[in-house]
Amino acid sequence: MIAVETVNLRVWYDNKEVLKGVSLKIPENVCFAIMGPSGCGKSTFLRTLNRIIELNENARVEGDVLLFGKSVFKMDVVEVRRQIGMVFQIPNPFPHMSIYDNVALGVKFNRLARSKRELDEIVEWALKKSALWDEVKDRLKERASSLSGGQMQRLCIARALAMKPKVLLMDEPTANLDPVSANKIEELIDELKRELTIVIVTHSPAQASRVSDYVAFLYMGELIEVGRTEEVFENPKNELTERYLTGRMG
Amino acid sequence: MKDRFKIFLLPVSSIVFGIFLLMLTVFLIASLPIFEKEGLSIYTTNVWKAVEGGEEFYGVLSAIYGSVYTSVVALIIALPLSIGFAVFVIDYVPAKFKEILIILTDIMAGLPTILYGIWGAFVLVPILRDYVMKPLYDHLSFVPLFSYPPTTGYSYLSAGVLLAIMVTPFASAIIREAYRMIPRVYREGVYALGLTRYEATKVLVGYIKPAIVAGTLLAFGRAVGETVAVSLVVGNTFNIHPSLFAPGYTISSLIANQFGNAFIYRYMPSALFASGLALFVIGLIVNVLGLMVLRRWRYA
Amino acid sequence: MLRKIKEKLFLLGITIATVLTILPLFHIILSVILNGLPVLLERGLAFLTDTVAPPGDGLGGIGPAIVGTFVLTFLASLMGLPIAILTGIFSAEYPNSLIGRATKTLLMIMMEFPTILVGLFVMDIMVIPMGRYSAVAGALALAIVMMPYVAVYTEQALREIPRIYREGAFALGLSRAIVVFRILMGMARKGILTGVLIGIAKVAGETAPLLFTAGGSYRVYFAGLDRPIGAIPLLIYDLVQQPYENYHQIAWGASLVLMLIFLAIFLPIRLSIKEVKM
């Protein structure tokens, strides 16, 4: 089944077209990587999927995004974001809240837990899923700002997972982490994709080849190539893709 | 997309607009009787005939004159001080003392104005009278500016000096901020030309001229609206005199002084509202201009 | 040579400018202490609790004015803060909308508005219809003076939050109200609190808006919200204009109290942040 499908997706910032008609099908329960040089529109693409792009008043979107066949633009925006979790490039747990509250936040306000006990269970489940539980189980009441960068990023993953989303968007989640922490996140992706669809944006072909099942290559706002990861990497059909993969393009 | 949050906030934030518009309306309506009776003479004559039950006539020209006079005196003093202070703090003070100096001026900008008032009335006025006005009057009384005998010391000069002390920290904060934000390349470029610090500073201060204009306008707005401190030192006399040492009125001190017993007269409240309206308009124009200059400069 | 002399004169000039800018502050503080402290020492705590002495006869105290300042400041906060904070949120959340921009501009203008005019305004809409000066009228005038400060500080505090946190909050599927009230305001609480305290420090020292609204009351402690009420700045203003020596002494004592209250609120805020606007 197709989890996310974009239909001729176009995005403008003011009058500058940054996404020029991208149509993609992302299957369920895979890790789907979007790669390309900086400024190619990959991050914009990701932000359109959960409509977070609408926070930018200068952005204009045309085309459609289908979530399990339903247009996200016809759904309630809150519902869209409940079903599509997101992890950002810079770890952004809310620094003034405790570790526990950071994870519980979305669940609480979207009323996904019926009791305090159920909430506790969800938080524990999410922290275990994000491989953070053992490190923080004794300090759940501490401020999130006391964590290391890698821990913060896993906390953000837990925060998204706690809402039991069907799709998880990851915008260069390891870009600001040290290699060890980055490694942990990549292992986590491997685990998680059994249960949900992950769309990850990365500027590193190496990372795309390590974590993804499918990969799409964007260049200057256009979709150049898409396919199973090993096929694209072993046998790129487009010359641009080949140049990018072999490191001859920035 | 219906934004319920916006719909919820809109009425609350429109309260501020409501207050502002209501204020303007109140001043206009309350001024009407005196306009109907005297026309613009309320602004163009210097008469204060308050007669219970008799023929009243009011002209607040002396107060308008005093407001402008004292504010101009204040700015003539405050402007060089605030530029000098800004340059000194940014370029010449070691980092440790910089913060202290800025904190001190911030305290000055926020200090309750009545404290300036009591200090002005009991401390500043005698000092100015004995050490500035008297010597100048004794030797230079043929100059119109110094031609009024400084018996009490309550005068345009006292009000101007006190206002200068009060608005310098404020004007200097605006200028300082602008001076600090001059791009480093520009600053280095000027020094690279082999200029002395005086010459370089002159160029750099020229660069932030719009911020200085804005600071001047906004400081004028503050000075013209200041009430209690001024009313304690300006002398509160209906007077249009060229001399710095003469007592006078300002619009705000006129209101502060006369409004308490205005209601026993038929037209005095309206006359005072009309003078308030003048202050309203002057303040609005000066502040809007100041903010516009500042904004345009910041985005340029 | 001439260049060197100019350089020296320039340095001298800006040094003098700096000294002249700061000097009055020390002179004021010193004058207030030298004149006010003896009064406080002579009367002790009674100065803070007693009522004003009769003309020409002793000192008494400024109890009702102190109570009045606290009551007025509290009431003004009650009226002004919610509106101010919500207005600040509005202009922070909708900075590009026409109303958002207009709100911001209006707030900046009202910050610089002559406060005596606010007093006159409230007199017209409240004191005249009610037939007397009152605590509510004074508090309303102060609330109007306070609002733009608090709103502008709130707006700035919210705008300073990195975009990434807004996005993170919205990505959790939270409504705008929850994002703003539960998350962004929590993160901006220090900036908002600063604005609130600056607003309070500002109105606690205001005189002009109270002249024709609060009315003043120096013999009677709080008599009711619809009755005249005193305030320390108002008391000082009235006493300075009296011809009695003992009243001038009381005014100095009251000035010291007012200065201490102001510094007690203002200094901690100022020392904990980089820049203030007053």
Side-chain angles (χ1 to χ4, degrees):
Chain A
M1 187 167 179
I2 301 299
V4 179
E5 180 177 356
T6 65
V7 185
N8 200 18
L9 198 59
R10 291 163 178 274
V11 177
W12 288 262
Y13 289 129
D14 293 320
N15 291 319
K16 193 167 164 264
E17 191 173 7
V18 287
L19 221 52
K20 303 168 181 168
V22 174
S23 299
L24 264 183
K25 287 193 170 91
I26 300 174
E28 203 178 359
N29 294 0
V30 300
C31 177
F32 195 107
I34 318 272
M35 62 179 187
S38 57
C40 70
K42 54 191 190 301
S43 195
T44 301
F45 176 79
L46 201 70
R47 276 151 197 272
T48 316
L49 301 187
N50 66 345
R51 293 175 57 186
I52 207 85
I53 193 159
E54 288 168 11
L55 294 184
N56 184 335
E57 292 183 23
N58 302 321
R60 190 160 57 86
V61 180
E62 262 181 31
D64 208 348
V65 176
L66 305 175
L67 179 63
F68 294 101
K70 265 173 76 183
S71 166
V72 297
F73 298 105
K74 295 203 176 95
M75 291 165 71
D76 178 31
V77 68
V78 168
E79 184 58 28
V80 172
R81 290 171 190 160
R82 239 195 59 203
Q83 295 192 21
I84 307 182
M86 186 167 190
V87 176
F88 295 80
Q89 189 172 4
I90 302 165
N92 60 348
F94 304 115
H96 65 300
M97 293 183 179
S98 69
I99 294 169
Y100 179 95
D101 285 342
N102 260 286
V103 181
L105 190 72
V107 181
K108 217 157 73 187
F109 285 115
N110 284 308
R111 297 187 218 297
L112 302 177
R114 269 156 304 188
S115 66
K116 173 82 173 89
R117 240 193 62 220
E118 197 184 340
L119 186 62
D120 287 346
E121 282 166 14
I122 293 175
V123 169
E124 182 176 339
W125 173 85
L127 285 168
K128 279 181 173 157
K129 276 280 166 197
S130 60
L132 193 59
W133 176 251
D134 290 335
E135 292 159 60
V136 301
K137 64 176 180 231
D138 301 321
R139 44 193 279 215
L140 291 173
K141 295 287 162 215
E142 279 178 38
R143 289 275 171 98
S145 47
S146 66
L147 297 173
S148 75
Q151 288 174 325
M152 280 192 194
Q153 196 60 303
R154 276 178 283 147
L155 182 61
C156 290
I157 295 175
R159 182 172 76 183
L161 291 179
M163 314 232 296
K164 312 243 165 101
K166 295 178 184 143
V167 178
L168 182 63
L169 310 178
M170 303 181 103
D171 187 1
E172 306 225 23
T174 62
N176 290 291
L177 300 183
D178 60 278
V180 177
S181 303
N183 219 343
K184 272 198 182 143
I185 304 275
E186 288 184 7
E187 281 169 19
L188 205 50
I189 294 173
D190 241 25
E191 280 293 312
L192 293 173
K193 72 181 183 194
R194 293 182 204 161
E195 291 158 49
L196 72 163
T197 309
I198 295 178
V199 186
I200 182 172
V201 155
T202 176
H203 65 270
S204 146
Q207 183 173 58
S209 79
R210 283 197 300 272
V211 301
S212 68
D213 308 299
Y214 292 84
V215 66
F217 174 57
L218 288 189
Y219 185 66
M220 311 264 284
E222 282 178 81
L223 178 63
I224 306 297
E225 187 161 351
V226 59
R228 289 198 144 276
T229 303
E230 55 268 37
E231 282 168 23
V232 173
F233 272 77
E234 277 161 28
N235 195 6
K237 295 191 180 62
N238 191 296
E239 196 207 340
L240 281 169
T241 318
E242 195 190 337
R243 276 176 53 194
Y244 178 70
L245 292 178
T246 50
R248 281 176 289 153
M249 182 196 287
Chain B
M1 187 179 73
K2 275 269 183 290
D3 191 341
R4 270 189 302 166
F5 188 63
K6 194 169 183 173
I7 293 166
F8 157 73
L9 279 184
L10 205 54
V12 184
S13 6
S14 49
I15 290 178
V16 182
F17 282 91
I19 290 174
F20 186 78
L21 291 178
L22 190 61
M23 216 142 100
L24 190 60
T25 317
V26 160
F27 273 88
L28 281 171
I29 292 178
S31 309
L32 268 186
I34 199 79
F35 285 138
E36 278 169 2
K37 180 169 175 290
E38 300 180 8
L40 283 179
S41 307
I42 176 77
Y43 294 139
T44 56
T45 56
N46 175 25
V47 192
W48 198 261
K49 246 172 68 189
V51 192
E52 234 175 305
E55 182 60 33
E56 302 173 45
F57 199 91
Y58 303 99
V60 296
L61 184 63
S62 65
I64 296 174
Y65 172 81
S67 279
V68 175
Y69 195 173
T70 52
S71 302
V72 168
V73 170
L75 282 181
I76 290 173
I77 301 169
L79 201 56
L81 289 189
S82 45
I83 296 174
F85 179 77
V87 170
F88 191 76
V89 164
I90 300 294
D91 281 350
Y92 293 92
V93 181
K96 245 194 328 201
F97 297 104
K98 193 174 285 193
E99 185 63 12
I100 295 174
L101 281 176
I102 294 177
I103 289 177
L104 288 175
T105 48
D106 281 349
I107 292 176
M108 289 181 81
L111 202 67
T113 54
I114 187 68
L115 296 181
Y116 286 98
I118 188 173
W119 178 79
F122 292 152
V123 181
L124 181 68
V125 166
I127 293 178
L128 286 177
R129 183 191 55 205
D130 296 343
Y131 299 105
V132 178
M133 299 187 206
K134 280 200 172 138
L136 282 171
Y137 178 73
D138 288 346
H139 300 105
L140 296 167
S141 60
F142 55 88
V143 180
L145 273 183
F146 310 136
S147 62
Y148 195 92
T151 40
T152 61
Y154 298 110
S155 59
Y156 297 122
L157 180 71
S158 301
V161 170
L162 189 59
L163 283 172
I165 293 169
M166 295 171 74
V167 301
T168 299
F170 172 70
S172 146
I174 295 170
I175 297 169
R176 189 182 70 219
E177 194 50 28
Y179 192 70
R180 202 171 54 86
M181 286 190 336
I182 295 176
R184 181 198 277 271
V185 281
Y186 196 79
R187 199 176 274 270
E188 286 172 349
V190 171
Y191 279 105
L193 292 175
L195 301 187
T196 64
R197 299 188 89 161
Y198 164 66
E199 291 155 351
T201 305
K202 226 167 76 175
V203 177
L204 293 175
V205 167
Y207 181 79
I208 58 161
K209 210 189 243 158
I212 293 174
V213 173
T216 308
L217 284 165
L218 293 172
F220 186 89
R222 278 219 166 173
V224 96
E226 173 48 41
T227 307
V228 287
V230 172
S231 97
L232 291 178
V233 299
V234 77
N236 296 329
T237 310
F238 293 101
N239 200 359
I240 298 181
H241 199 283
S243 173
L244 285 166
F245 307 156
Y249 252 133
T250 66
I251 299 173
S252 47
S253 66
L254 173 72
I255 295 171
N257 242 279
Q258 299 285 343
F259 205 73
N261 53 7
F263 284 89
I264 54 175
Y265 304 101
R266 183 153 168 226
Y267 285 102
M268 199 195 283
S270 180
L272 290 172
F273 267 105
S275 66
L277 185 66
L279 182 59
F280 198 121
V281 172
I282 296 173
L284 198 62
I285 291 173
V286 171
N287 285 318
V288 168
L289 276 179
L291 289 170
M292 261 168 53
V293 173
L294 201 59
R295 186 169 300 181
R296 188 174 306 163
W297 184 75
R298 271 193 193 145
Y299 288 113
Chain C
M1 190 58 207
L2 188 68
R3 264 181 125 185
K4 281 240 168 81
I5 294 171
K6 267 191 179 166
E7 181 84 351
K8 287 264 171 341
L9 282 177
F10 163 69
L11 262 173
L12 187 69
I14 59 173
T15 311
I16 290 174
T18 302
V19 172
L20 284 179
T21 302
I22 300 293
L23 197 65
L25 178 65
F26 291 106
H27 206 288
I28 291 170
I29 292 176
L30 206 66
S31 304
V32 169
I33 292 176
L34 286 180
N35 290 295
L37 199 57
V39 177
L40 255 72
L41 290 178
E42 189 187 326
R43 293 289 297 150
L45 277 180
F47 189 71
L48 305 179
T49 53
D50 277 1
T51 57
V52 168
D57 180 26
L59 295 168
I62 58 168
I66 295 178
V67 172
T69 287
F70 280 105
V71 170
L72 284 169
T73 309
F74 177 74
L75 279 179
S77 308
L78 217 58
M79 294 183 211
L81 291 182
I83 299 171
I85 291 174
L86 290 174
T87 305
I89 292 173
F90 184 86
S91 59
E93 278 296 300
Y94 303 99
N96 296 323
S97 76
L98 185 67
I99 310 173
R101 279 209 313 263
T103 308
K104 180 89 198 286
T105 311
L106 185 68
L107 290 174
M108 303 295 283
I109 290 170
M110 284 181 74
M111 249 170 131
E112 296 302 328
F113 207 69
T115 54
I116 179 90
L117 297 181
V118 175
L120 228 54
F121 165 67
V122 173
M123 159 126 205
D124 196 80
I125 61 162
M126 215 163 157
V127 175
I128 294 176
M130 281 174 69
R132 63 166 163 255
Y133 298 127
S134 64
V136 264
L140 176 63
L142 292 184
I144 295 174
V145 172
M146 172 192 261
M147 274 195 290
Y149 288 86
V150 180
V152 166
Y153 270 92
T154 302
E155 193 251 6
Q156 276 171 355
L158 287 171
R159 305 282 312 154
E160 273 165 16
I161 298 174
R163 211 187 57 186
I164 188 90
Y165 292 109
R166 295 173 57 83
E167 290 182 343
F170 277 109
L172 287 176
L174 305 180
S175 70
R176 199 184 268 270
I178 289 172
V179 171
V180 170
F181 287 123
R182 290 312 189 80
I183 296 174
L184 299 184
M185 279 189 67
M187 293 183 71
R189 68 194 180 291
K190 193 179 164 200
I192 296 174
L193 184 67
T194 300
V196 168
L197 289 173
I198 294 267
I200 287 175
K202 173 93 188 155
V203 298
E206 278 288 332
T207 318
L210 297 177
L211 282 177
F212 311 113
T213 53
S217 161
Y218 308 115
R219 306 250 189 271
V220 187
Y221 290 86
F222 186 64
L225 291 180
D226 59 341
R227 301 283 158 169
I229 194 165
I232 308 173
L234 202 52
L235 174 74
I236 300 171
Y237 183 70
D238 287 342
L239 294 182
V240 167
Q241 297 184 79
Q242 304 284 334
Y244 312 106
E245 182 54 33
N246 67 326
Y247 275 12
H248 295 174
Q249 282 176 289
I250 302 173
W252 280 115
S255 297
L256 181 55
V257 174
L258 182 63
M259 191 172 84
L260 292 176
I261 293 177
F262 169 74
L263 291 178
I265 308 176
F266 187 81
L267 271 185
I269 324 169
R270 181 57 186 83
L271 293 176
S272 71
I273 55 171
K274 272 210 142 71
E275 202 83 42
V276 296
K277 206 182 275 169
M278 269 194 100

